[in-house]
Amino acid sequence: MVESRIAELMSVFDQGDLRWRVEAEARLATLGPAAVEPLIGQLERASVPGRFHAVRALAALARQGSAERVVEALVRHLGDEESHAAVAIAAEQMLVQLGPASAAVLLRAARDGALPPTARARALRAISKIGLGQLSEIAPLLRDPAPGVRRQAAAASAAVGGPEAALALRDLLKDPDRFVREGAAEALLTLGSGAGRLIFEEALADPEERGWAEEMLERLDALQHRGELLE
């Protein structure tokens, strides 16, 4: 009886009316642990809408006590790039909402070189939003071969904070990839006026770095003036 009800509700995910699909999510969440494995199966074989709504329903079930199994399933789909990465984006958002329950699995995914770089970068971005992790675990990823991973590792390092993070990010300001350098500079801004200002002022002495350093100092002053910066 429960199995047939789960299958019936999951079939709604492929129907056109968004209201019905969202309602099906909510009803699946009321069915408890019995719905977890069928929804994980949905992630492996359904259409994009089916996978998208399965992600959201699973997150609701994780909040009821099936977190470990659900988190592992959602992390596996951080690299789902079909249809503008709708499923991967939803998985990342749900993992962030699940908070500390996601952190350990996200960190393992970020460090797993067998996963696509986009999935690893999303795992790091989720870690930085959750605000958990240790610099010793994240810092090695600042040297990862994938630029997207290095950029998100910069944000995750800044989320950890502290002078050690500032020093690690300073090295990344000379990264060969422009977007990584920009990400490192943005991350330094979030560390606060003391850590960021010293590094940007040091960069003024280098003619090749003076331009961006002046820009960062101007932004730092503006943020501090508005009271949006840590001291």
PDB file of all heavy atoms in Angstrom, residues 131-165:
ATOM      1  N   GLY A 131      29.742  27.050   6.858  1.00  0.00           N
ATOM      2  CA  GLY A 131      30.660  27.682   7.798  1.00  0.00           C
ATOM      3  C   GLY A 131      31.394  26.707   8.682  1.00  0.00           C
ATOM      4  O   GLY A 131      31.825  27.058   9.784  1.00  0.00           O
ATOM      5  N   LEU A 132      31.550  25.473   8.215  1.00  0.00           N
ATOM      6  CA  LEU A 132      32.263  24.467   8.988  1.00  0.00           C
ATOM      7  C   LEU A 132      33.512  24.014   8.239  1.00  0.00           C
ATOM      8  O   LEU A 132      33.675  24.287   7.065  1.00  0.00           O
ATOM      9  CB  LEU A 132      31.356  23.266   9.263  1.00  0.00           C
ATOM     10  CG  LEU A 132      30.139  23.536  10.135  1.00  0.00           C
ATOM     11  CD1 LEU A 132      29.287  22.288  10.221  1.00  0.00           C
ATOM     12  CD2 LEU A 132      30.571  23.972  11.531  1.00  0.00           C
ATOM     13  N   GLY A 133      34.375  23.313   8.944  1.00  0.00           N
ATOM     14  CA  GLY A 133      35.594  22.812   8.332  1.00  0.00           C
ATOM     15  C   GLY A 133      36.813  23.394   9.009  1.00  0.00           C
ATOM     16  O   GLY A 133      36.742  24.413   9.702  1.00  0.00           O
ATOM     17  N   GLN A 134      37.941  22.735   8.810  1.00  0.00           N
ATOM     18  CA  GLN A 134      39.204  23.197   9.359  1.00  0.00           C
ATOM     19  C   GLN A 134      40.138  23.552   8.211  1.00  0.00           C
ATOM     20  O   GLN A 134      40.125  22.912   7.158  1.00  0.00           O
ATOM     21  CB  GLN A 134      39.838  22.114  10.240  1.00  0.00           C
ATOM     22  CG  GLN A 134      38.992  21.753  11.452  1.00  0.00           C
ATOM     23  CD  GLN A 134      39.643  20.685  12.302  1.00  0.00           C
ATOM     24  OE1 GLN A 134      40.745  20.234  12.009  1.00  0.00           O
ATOM     25  NE2 GLN A 134      38.967  20.296  13.369  1.00  0.00           N
ATOM     26  N   LEU A 135      40.958  24.563   8.435  1.00  0.00           N
ATOM     27  CA  LEU A 135      41.846  25.009   7.364  1.00  0.00           C
ATOM     28  C   LEU A 135      42.776  23.892   6.909  1.00  0.00           C
ATOM     29  O   LEU A 135      43.083  23.778   5.723  1.00  0.00           O
ATOM     30  CB  LEU A 135      42.653  26.223   7.831  1.00  0.00           C
ATOM     31  CG  LEU A 135      43.484  26.908   6.742  1.00  0.00           C
ATOM     32  CD1 LEU A 135      42.588  27.465   5.649  1.00  0.00           C
ATOM     33  CD2 LEU A 135      44.342  28.013   7.350  1.00  0.00           C
ATOM     34  N   SER A 136      43.211  23.057   7.840  1.00  0.00           N
ATOM     35  CA  SER A 136      44.114  21.958   7.473  1.00  0.00           C
ATOM     36  C   SER A 136      43.458  20.991   6.491  1.00  0.00           C
ATOM     37  O   SER A 136      44.152  20.330   5.704  1.00  0.00           O
ATOM     38  CB  SER A 136      44.557  21.203   8.727  1.00  0.00           C
ATOM     39  OG  SER A 136      43.428  20.638   9.395  1.00  0.00           O
ATOM     40  N   GLU A 137      42.128  20.898   6.526  1.00  0.00           N
ATOM     41  CA  GLU A 137      41.408  20.020   5.608  1.00  0.00           C
ATOM     42  C   GLU A 137      41.173  20.680   4.253  1.00  0.00           C
ATOM     43  O   GLU A 137      41.116  20.011   3.225  1.00  0.00           O
ATOM     44  CB  GLU A 137      40.065  19.630   6.225  1.00  0.00           C
ATOM     45  CG  GLU A 137      40.183  18.858   7.527  1.00  0.00           C
ATOM     46  CD  GLU A 137      38.845  18.693   8.223  1.00  0.00           C
ATOM     47  OE1 GLU A 137      38.001  19.610   8.138  1.00  0.00           O
ATOM     48  OE2 GLU A 137      38.646  17.650   8.855  1.00  0.00           O
ATOM     49  N   ILE A 138      41.040  22.003   4.247  1.00  0.00           N
ATOM     50  CA  ILE A 138      40.676  22.731   3.035  1.00  0.00           C
ATOM     51  C   ILE A 138      41.898  23.240   2.280  1.00  0.00           C
ATOM     52  O   ILE A 138      41.917  23.265   1.042  1.00  0.00           O
ATOM     53  CB  ILE A 138      39.749  23.902   3.389  1.00  0.00           C
ATOM     54  CG1 ILE A 138      38.442  23.363   3.977  1.00  0.00           C
ATOM     55  CG2 ILE A 138      39.468  24.781   2.170  1.00  0.00           C
ATOM     56  CD1 ILE A 138      37.587  24.415   4.645  1.00  0.00           C
ATOM     57  N   ALA A 139      42.937  23.632   3.006  1.00  0.00           N
ATOM     58  CA  ALA A 139      44.100  24.278   2.381  1.00  0.00           C
ATOM     59  C   ALA A 139      44.725  23.472   1.246  1.00  0.00           C
ATOM     60  O   ALA A 139      45.128  24.062   0.236  1.00  0.00           O
ATOM     61  CB  ALA A 139      45.145  24.597   3.452  1.00  0.00           C
ATOM     62  N   PRO A 140      44.835  22.137   1.335  1.00  0.00           N
ATOM     63  CA  PRO A 140      45.421  21.408   0.202  1.00  0.00           C
ATOM     64  C   PRO A 140      44.664  21.619  -1.111  1.00  0.00           C
ATOM     65  O   PRO A 140      45.261  21.534  -2.189  1.00  0.00           O
ATOM     66  CB  PRO A 140      45.345  19.940   0.658  1.00  0.00           C
ATOM     67  CG  PRO A 140      45.372  20.014   2.144  1.00  0.00           C
ATOM     68  CD  PRO A 140      44.590  21.244   2.486  1.00  0.00           C
ATOM     69  N   LEU A 141      43.386  21.937  -1.024  1.00  0.00           N
ATOM     70  CA  LEU A 141      42.589  22.139  -2.239  1.00  0.00           C
ATOM     71  C   LEU A 141      42.875  23.478  -2.897  1.00  0.00           C
ATOM     72  O   LEU A 141      42.471  23.710  -4.032  1.00  0.00           O
ATOM     73  CB  LEU A 141      41.103  22.012  -1.903  1.00  0.00           C
ATOM     74  CG  LEU A 141      40.695  20.614  -1.416  1.00  0.00           C
ATOM     75  CD1 LEU A 141      39.259  20.627  -0.906  1.00  0.00           C
ATOM     76  CD2 LEU A 141      40.848  19.595  -2.524  1.00  0.00           C
ATOM     77  N   LEU A 142      43.589  24.366  -2.208  1.00  0.00           N
ATOM     78  CA  LEU A 142      44.021  25.621  -2.835  1.00  0.00           C
ATOM     79  C   LEU A 142      45.049  25.360  -3.929  1.00  0.00           C
ATOM     80  O   LEU A 142      45.307  26.234  -4.762  1.00  0.00           O
ATOM     81  CB  LEU A 142      44.621  26.552  -1.783  1.00  0.00           C
ATOM     82  CG  LEU A 142      43.664  27.063  -0.701  1.00  0.00           C
ATOM     83  CD1 LEU A 142      44.446  27.740   0.414  1.00  0.00           C
ATOM     84  CD2 LEU A 142      42.637  28.017  -1.290  1.00  0.00           C
ATOM     85  N   ARG A 143      45.609  24.151  -3.941  1.00  0.00           N
ATOM     86  CA  ARG A 143      46.595  23.770  -4.963  1.00  0.00           C
ATOM     87  C   ARG A 143      46.043  22.730  -5.920  1.00  0.00           C
ATOM     88  O   ARG A 143      46.796  22.080  -6.651  1.00  0.00           O
ATOM     89  CB  ARG A 143      47.864  23.250  -4.280  1.00  0.00           C
ATOM     90  CG  ARG A 143      48.515  24.266  -3.356  1.00  0.00           C
ATOM     91  CD  ARG A 143      49.822  23.743  -2.762  1.00  0.00           C
ATOM     92  NE  ARG A 143      49.604  22.585  -1.897  1.00  0.00           N
ATOM     93  CZ  ARG A 143      49.285  22.666  -0.610  1.00  0.00           C
ATOM     94  NH1 ARG A 143      49.116  23.852  -0.032  1.00  0.00           N
ATOM     95  NH2 ARG A 143      49.114  21.577   0.119  1.00  0.00           N
ATOM     96  N   ASP A 144      44.732  22.558  -5.930  1.00  0.00           N
ATOM     97  CA  ASP A 144      44.111  21.550  -6.781  1.00  0.00           C
ATOM     98  C   ASP A 144      44.329  21.886  -8.263  1.00  0.00           C
ATOM     99  O   ASP A 144      44.371  23.064  -8.639  1.00  0.00           O
ATOM    100  CB  ASP A 144      42.601  21.489  -6.480  1.00  0.00           C
ATOM    101  CG  ASP A 144      41.943  20.275  -7.093  1.00  0.00           C
ATOM    102  OD1 ASP A 144      41.966  19.220  -6.443  1.00  0.00           O
ATOM    103  OD2 ASP A 144      41.430  20.385  -8.229  1.00  0.00           O
ATOM    104  N   PRO A 145      44.445  20.885  -9.129  1.00  0.00           N
ATOM    105  CA  PRO A 145      44.619  21.175 -10.562  1.00  0.00           C
ATOM    106  C   PRO A 145      43.444  21.916 -11.195  1.00  0.00           C
ATOM    107  O   PRO A 145      43.632  22.627 -12.198  1.00  0.00           O
ATOM    108  CB  PRO A 145      44.771  19.775 -11.185  1.00  0.00           C
ATOM    109  CG  PRO A 145      45.207  18.892 -10.066  1.00  0.00           C
ATOM    110  CD  PRO A 145      44.569  19.443  -8.835  1.00  0.00           C
ATOM    111  N   ALA A 146      42.235  21.787 -10.647  1.00  0.00           N
ATOM    112  CA  ALA A 146      41.056  22.416 -11.245  1.00  0.00           C
ATOM    113  C   ALA A 146      40.877  23.838 -10.732  1.00  0.00           C
ATOM    114  O   ALA A 146      40.722  24.049  -9.527  1.00  0.00           O
ATOM    115  CB  ALA A 146      39.809  21.592 -10.935  1.00  0.00           C
ATOM    116  N   PRO A 147      40.865  24.846 -11.613  1.00  0.00           N
ATOM    117  CA  PRO A 147      40.713  26.230 -11.161  1.00  0.00           C
ATOM    118  C   PRO A 147      39.435  26.477 -10.363  1.00  0.00           C
ATOM    119  O   PRO A 147      39.450  27.216  -9.378  1.00  0.00           O
ATOM    120  CB  PRO A 147      40.711  27.030 -12.472  1.00  0.00           C
ATOM    121  CG  PRO A 147      41.440  26.176 -13.442  1.00  0.00           C
ATOM    122  CD  PRO A 147      41.111  24.767 -13.068  1.00  0.00           C
ATOM    123  N   GLY A 148      38.325  25.852 -10.772  1.00  0.00           N
ATOM    124  CA  GLY A 148      37.075  26.053 -10.049  1.00  0.00           C
ATOM    125  C   GLY A 148      37.151  25.553  -8.618  1.00  0.00           C
ATOM    126  O   GLY A 148      36.564  26.153  -7.701  1.00  0.00           O
ATOM    127  N   VAL A 149      37.875  24.470  -8.412  1.00  0.00           N
ATOM    128  CA  VAL A 149      38.054  23.938  -7.064  1.00  0.00           C
ATOM    129  C   VAL A 149      38.919  24.897  -6.245  1.00  0.00           C
ATOM    130  O   VAL A 149      38.619  25.183  -5.079  1.00  0.00           O
ATOM    131  CB  VAL A 149      38.692  22.534  -7.116  1.00  0.00           C
ATOM    132  CG1 VAL A 149      39.068  22.051  -5.714  1.00  0.00           C
ATOM    133  CG2 VAL A 149      37.720  21.548  -7.764  1.00  0.00           C
ATOM    134  N   ARG A 150      39.997  25.416  -6.850  1.00  0.00           N
ATOM    135  CA  ARG A 150      40.857  26.356  -6.118  1.00  0.00           C
ATOM    136  C   ARG A 150      40.083  27.605  -5.713  1.00  0.00           C
ATOM    137  O   ARG A 150      40.235  28.107  -4.594  1.00  0.00           O
ATOM    138  CB  ARG A 150      42.069  26.750  -6.972  1.00  0.00           C
ATOM    139  CG  ARG A 150      42.992  25.599  -7.311  1.00  0.00           C
ATOM    140  CD  ARG A 150      44.364  26.057  -7.744  1.00  0.00           C
ATOM    141  NE  ARG A 150      44.389  26.903  -8.919  1.00  0.00           N
ATOM    142  CZ  ARG A 150      44.385  26.478 -10.183  1.00  0.00           C
ATOM    143  NH1 ARG A 150      44.321  25.171 -10.446  1.00  0.00           N
ATOM    144  NH2 ARG A 150      44.440  27.329 -11.200  1.00  0.00           N
ATOM    145  N   ARG A 151      39.260  28.110  -6.617  1.00  0.00           N
ATOM    146  CA  ARG A 151      38.494  29.329  -6.305  1.00  0.00           C
ATOM    147  C   ARG A 151      37.537  29.091  -5.141  1.00  0.00           C
ATOM    148  O   ARG A 151      37.428  29.912  -4.225  1.00  0.00           O
ATOM    149  CB  ARG A 151      37.728  29.802  -7.534  1.00  0.00           C
ATOM    150  CG  ARG A 151      36.950  31.091  -7.281  1.00  0.00           C
ATOM    151  CD  ARG A 151      36.193  31.544  -8.515  1.00  0.00           C
ATOM    152  NE  ARG A 151      35.354  32.691  -8.199  1.00  0.00           N
ATOM    153  CZ  ARG A 151      35.589  33.936  -8.584  1.00  0.00           C
ATOM    154  NH1 ARG A 151      36.655  34.205  -9.324  1.00  0.00           N
ATOM    155  NH2 ARG A 151      34.771  34.908  -8.245  1.00  0.00           N
ATOM    156  N   GLN A 152      36.827  27.971  -5.149  1.00  0.00           N
ATOM    157  CA  GLN A 152      35.893  27.696  -4.062  1.00  0.00           C
ATOM    158  C   GLN A 152      36.626  27.327  -2.773  1.00  0.00           C
ATOM    159  O   GLN A 152      36.125  27.596  -1.674  1.00  0.00           O
ATOM    160  CB  GLN A 152      34.925  26.584  -4.469  1.00  0.00           C
ATOM    161  CG  GLN A 152      33.971  26.972  -5.585  1.00  0.00           C
ATOM    162  CD  GLN A 152      33.147  28.202  -5.245  1.00  0.00           C
ATOM    163  OE1 GLN A 152      32.822  28.462  -4.089  1.00  0.00           O
ATOM    164  NE2 GLN A 152      32.800  28.976  -6.272  1.00  0.00           N
ATOM    165  N   ALA A 153      37.814  26.746  -2.897  1.00  0.00           N
ATOM    166  CA  ALA A 153      38.614  26.489  -1.694  1.00  0.00           C
ATOM    167  C   ALA A 153      39.023  27.793  -1.032  1.00  0.00           C
ATOM    168  O   ALA A 153      39.144  27.870   0.201  1.00  0.00           O
ATOM    169  CB  ALA A 153      39.842  25.658  -2.057  1.00  0.00           C
ATOM    170  N   ALA A 154      39.235  28.839  -1.834  1.00  0.00           N
ATOM    171  CA  ALA A 154      39.555  30.152  -1.268  1.00  0.00           C
ATOM    172  C   ALA A 154      38.398  30.657  -0.422  1.00  0.00           C
ATOM    173  O   ALA A 154      38.597  31.149   0.698  1.00  0.00           O
ATOM    174  CB  ALA A 154      39.869  31.138  -2.391  1.00  0.00           C
ATOM    175  N   ALA A 155      37.170  30.544  -0.932  1.00  0.00           N
ATOM    176  CA  ALA A 155      36.004  30.993  -0.181  1.00  0.00           C
ATOM    177  C   ALA A 155      35.827  30.167   1.093  1.00  0.00           C
ATOM    178  O   ALA A 155      35.498  30.705   2.161  1.00  0.00           O
ATOM    179  CB  ALA A 155      34.756  30.908  -1.048  1.00  0.00           C
ATOM    180  N   ALA A 156      36.053  28.856   0.995  1.00  0.00           N
ATOM    181  CA  ALA A 156      35.910  27.998   2.175  1.00  0.00           C
ATOM    182  C   ALA A 156      36.979  28.317   3.215  1.00  0.00           C
ATOM    183  O   ALA A 156      36.723  28.276   4.420  1.00  0.00           O
ATOM    184  CB  ALA A 156      35.977  26.531   1.759  1.00  0.00           C
ATOM    185  N   SER A 157      38.193  28.656   2.760  1.00  0.00           N
ATOM    186  CA  SER A 157      39.254  29.027   3.697  1.00  0.00           C
ATOM    187  C   SER A 157      38.891  30.313   4.422  1.00  0.00           C
ATOM    188  O   SER A 157      39.120  30.445   5.634  1.00  0.00           O
ATOM    189  CB  SER A 157      40.577  29.209   2.943  1.00  0.00           C
ATOM    190  OG  SER A 157      40.989  27.994   2.343  1.00  0.00           O
ATOM    191  N   ALA A 158      38.342  31.269   3.689  1.00  0.00           N
ATOM    192  CA  ALA A 158      37.930  32.531   4.314  1.00  0.00           C
ATOM    193  C   ALA A 158      36.829  32.295   5.333  1.00  0.00           C
ATOM    194  O   ALA A 158      36.761  32.975   6.362  1.00  0.00           O
ATOM    195  CB  ALA A 158      37.477  33.519   3.253  1.00  0.00           C
ATOM    196  N   ALA A 159      35.943  31.331   5.064  1.00  0.00           N
ATOM    197  CA  ALA A 159      34.870  31.030   6.008  1.00  0.00           C
ATOM    198  C   ALA A 159      35.434  30.489   7.321  1.00  0.00           C
ATOM    199  O   ALA A 159      34.870  30.724   8.390  1.00  0.00           O
ATOM    200  CB  ALA A 159      33.894  30.033   5.397  1.00  0.00           C
ATOM    201  N   VAL A 160      36.561  29.751   7.239  1.00  0.00           N
ATOM    202  CA  VAL A 160      37.224  29.284   8.465  1.00  0.00           C
ATOM    203  C   VAL A 160      37.803  30.473   9.217  1.00  0.00           C
ATOM    204  O   VAL A 160      37.687  30.590  10.438  1.00  0.00           O
ATOM    205  CB  VAL A 160      38.327  28.266   8.123  1.00  0.00           C
ATOM    206  CG1 VAL A 160      39.124  27.904   9.377  1.00  0.00           C
ATOM    207  CG2 VAL A 160      37.728  27.019   7.493  1.00  0.00           C
ATOM    208  N   GLY A 161      38.439  31.402   8.471  1.00  0.00           N
ATOM    209  CA  GLY A 161      38.967  32.622   9.060  1.00  0.00           C
ATOM    210  C   GLY A 161      40.314  32.441   9.738  1.00  0.00           C
ATOM    211  O   GLY A 161      40.889  31.349   9.761  1.00  0.00           O
ATOM    212  N   GLY A 162      40.818  33.548  10.265  1.00  0.00           N
ATOM    213  CA  GLY A 162      42.076  33.528  11.002  1.00  0.00           C
ATOM    214  C   GLY A 162      43.269  33.935  10.155  1.00  0.00           C
ATOM    215  O   GLY A 162      43.198  33.940   8.924  1.00  0.00           O
ATOM    216  N   PRO A 163      44.377  34.281  10.810  1.00  0.00           N
ATOM    217  CA  PRO A 163      45.571  34.725  10.081  1.00  0.00           C
ATOM    218  C   PRO A 163      46.154  33.652   9.175  1.00  0.00           C
ATOM    219  O   PRO A 163      46.742  33.960   8.139  1.00  0.00           O
ATOM    220  CB  PRO A 163      46.552  35.111  11.208  1.00  0.00           C
ATOM    221  CG  PRO A 163      46.036  34.425  12.436  1.00  0.00           C
ATOM    222  CD  PRO A 163      44.554  34.349  12.272  1.00  0.00           C
ATOM    223  N   GLU A 164      46.019  32.370   9.558  1.00  0.00           N
ATOM    224  CA  GLU A 164      46.544  31.308   8.713  1.00  0.00           C
ATOM    225  C   GLU A 164      45.812  31.262   7.380  1.00  0.00           C
ATOM    226  O   GLU A 164      46.418  31.022   6.327  1.00  0.00           O
ATOM    227  CB  GLU A 164      46.427  29.952   9.416  1.00  0.00           C
ATOM    228  CG  GLU A 164      47.300  29.805  10.653  1.00  0.00           C
ATOM    229  CD  GLU A 164      46.634  30.395  11.893  1.00  0.00           C
ATOM    230  OE1 GLU A 164      45.478  30.868  11.798  1.00  0.00           O
ATOM    231  OE2 GLU A 164      47.285  30.391  12.963  1.00  0.00           O
ATOM    232  N   ALA A 165      44.508  31.508   7.405  1.00  0.00           N
ATOM    233  CA  ALA A 165      43.743  31.545   6.158  1.00  0.00           C
ATOM    234  C   ALA A 165      44.204  32.693   5.279  1.00  0.00           C
ATOM    235  O   ALA A 165      44.318  32.554   4.051  1.00  0.00           O
ATOM    236  CB  ALA A 165      42.249  31.674   6.460  1.00  0.00           C
TER     237      ALA A 165
END
